[in-house]
Amino acid sequence: MYERNVSHIEALVQEQNEWRGRCVNLIASENVTSRRVRGVMGSDFAHRYAEGHPGERYYQGTEIIDEIEGLLKQHMKGLFRCRHADVRPISGTIANDAVFSRYIRPGDVVMVNSTPGGGHISHHRVGAVGKYTKNIVNFPVTPDGYHIDVDHTMELLKALEPKVMILGKSLFLFPEPVKELAPVCKRRGIALIYDAAHVLGLVAGHQFQDPLAEGAPLVTGSTHKTFFGSQRGVILSNVDDDEWRKIDKGAFPGSSSNHHLETLVALSVSTYEMLEFGVEYARQVVANAKHLARRLHDLGFKVEGAEFGFTESHQVAVDVSDLGGGDAAARTLKDNGIIVNMNLLPFEPLDHVTNPAGLRLGTQEMTRVGMKEPEMEAIAGFFGKVLLGKKFVGDEVKEFRSKFQDVQYSFDA
Ligand code: DSN
């Protein structure tokens, strides 16, 4: 009776595959996986459980996943040059929750980046931090809105005595002041957590600040934005072994039971891709973001962060409040085959969330399919035609994208 419905779902999946393969995808939190990564999904591991750690499971039959997970942990530690890696969180938010559950107690003051300033939802009252405390204080920022005001933060932390500081964000153009804040956090016993979800692949490729080397003892991240997928999370740390054992309980049993073995296996393949191609890839991602920002600026768009060179990451933020706002602009671009998300910009009131001033663009996915500076120029040109010239470029976009179908920086070829 339901066979037709299954065919319908299969057809929708096929439609999605084809459609997104024709689009210029600029959502800053997404990426594409290689054929070899996709090839290990859908295996028997999709059916299995393996709670605990390799060699210390609560199930029989885990020998092969134990080997794969052990190798993945070893390579994550090597890639990020750290003492500990937990590869079990099934998303960045789960990784955050696992760490927050160890460090935040009811009533504790926690300092975070504001939502309009780019802070992730899991850092806020309605997200994971809010499950543990309501005393959430935003970092003060410099007038440009994209940098934490370190002097003011130092004053605030004497007055507020925070227990936790969370750096890193979702609108993430420039490095965070880890070097400046880490020593004072250490002296005062403040847990300094750096959420690297967006920039994980850039850190792995040495093209963004290395928060662990700069003194952050705890780093969380998701593995599918600037990292090569699959969709999962990770915790990386340099704390001592005793402390790590306590954090460990946050991931299991604190925030997950089984940890989705088929995506774990996929991540272990993509980690080898990152080891082999990460530097070259991350360099091109950042070069592309800078180039896209510059060309958009030259065309007359209000690109954020101009006085700091627009961006040091994979992201570009554009103020489109004069062009009907973020919601309308993002919808118009989508109708032309260009996928972006609307975004609050620093200092905007929260109630602008359904039509904020900004668009957030990310170059990581189009870089993965081989685009370089000339293609960034073409993409900026499409933005100009669509948003400034009110033209339809959907067919041009499709033709342009058709030449970039294979995942590069991989072992696919
Ligand atoms: N909210 C996602 C983003 O930055 O797009 C991250 O979880």
Coordinates of all heavy atoms in Angstrom, one line a residue, residues 29 120 170 198 225 360, ligand 1:
S29 N 27.5 27.0 6.8 CA 27.6 25.9 7.8 C 27.6 24.5 7.0 O 27.5 23.5 7.7 CB 26.5 26.0 8.8 OG 25.3 26.1 8.2
H120 N 26.4 31.3 18.7 CA 25.5 30.2 18.3 C 24.4 30.0 19.3 O 24.5 30.3 20.5 CB 26.4 28.9 18.2 CG 25.6 27.8 17.7 ND1 25.3 26.7 18.4 CD2 25.2 27.5 16.4 CE1 24.6 25.8 17.6 NE2 24.5 26.3 16.4
S170 N 28.9 31.8 15.1 CA 28.4 31.3 13.8 C 28.6 32.4 12.7 O 28.6 32.0 11.5 CB 26.9 30.9 13.9 OG 26.8 29.8 14.8
H198 N 32.5 26.5 13.1 CA 32.6 27.0 11.7 C 34.0 26.9 11.1 O 34.2 26.7 9.9 CB 32.1 28.5 11.7 CG 30.7 28.5 11.4 ND1 30.3 28.6 10.1 CD2 29.6 28.5 12.1 CE1 28.9 28.6 10.0 NE2 28.5 28.5 11.3
K225 N 31.4 21.7 8.3 CA 31.3 23.1 7.7 C 32.6 23.3 6.9 O 32.5 23.1 5.7 CB 31.1 24.1 8.9 CG 29.8 23.8 9.7 CD 29.7 24.8 10.9 CE 28.4 24.8 11.5 NZ 27.9 23.6 12.1
R360 N 24.7 36.1 5.2 CA 26.0 35.4 5.5 C 26.4 34.5 4.4 O 25.5 33.6 4.0 CB 25.9 34.7 6.8 CG 27.2 34.1 7.3 CD 27.0 33.2 8.5 NE 26.2 32.0 8.2 CZ 26.0 30.9 9.0 NH1 26.5 30.9 10.2 NH2 25.2 29.9 8.6
Ligands
DSN1 N1 23.3 27.4 13.0 C1 24.3 26.8 12.2 C2 24.9 27.8 11.3 O1 25.8 28.5 11.7 O2 24.4 27.9 10.2 C3 25.3 26.2 13.0 O3 24.8 25.2 13.8

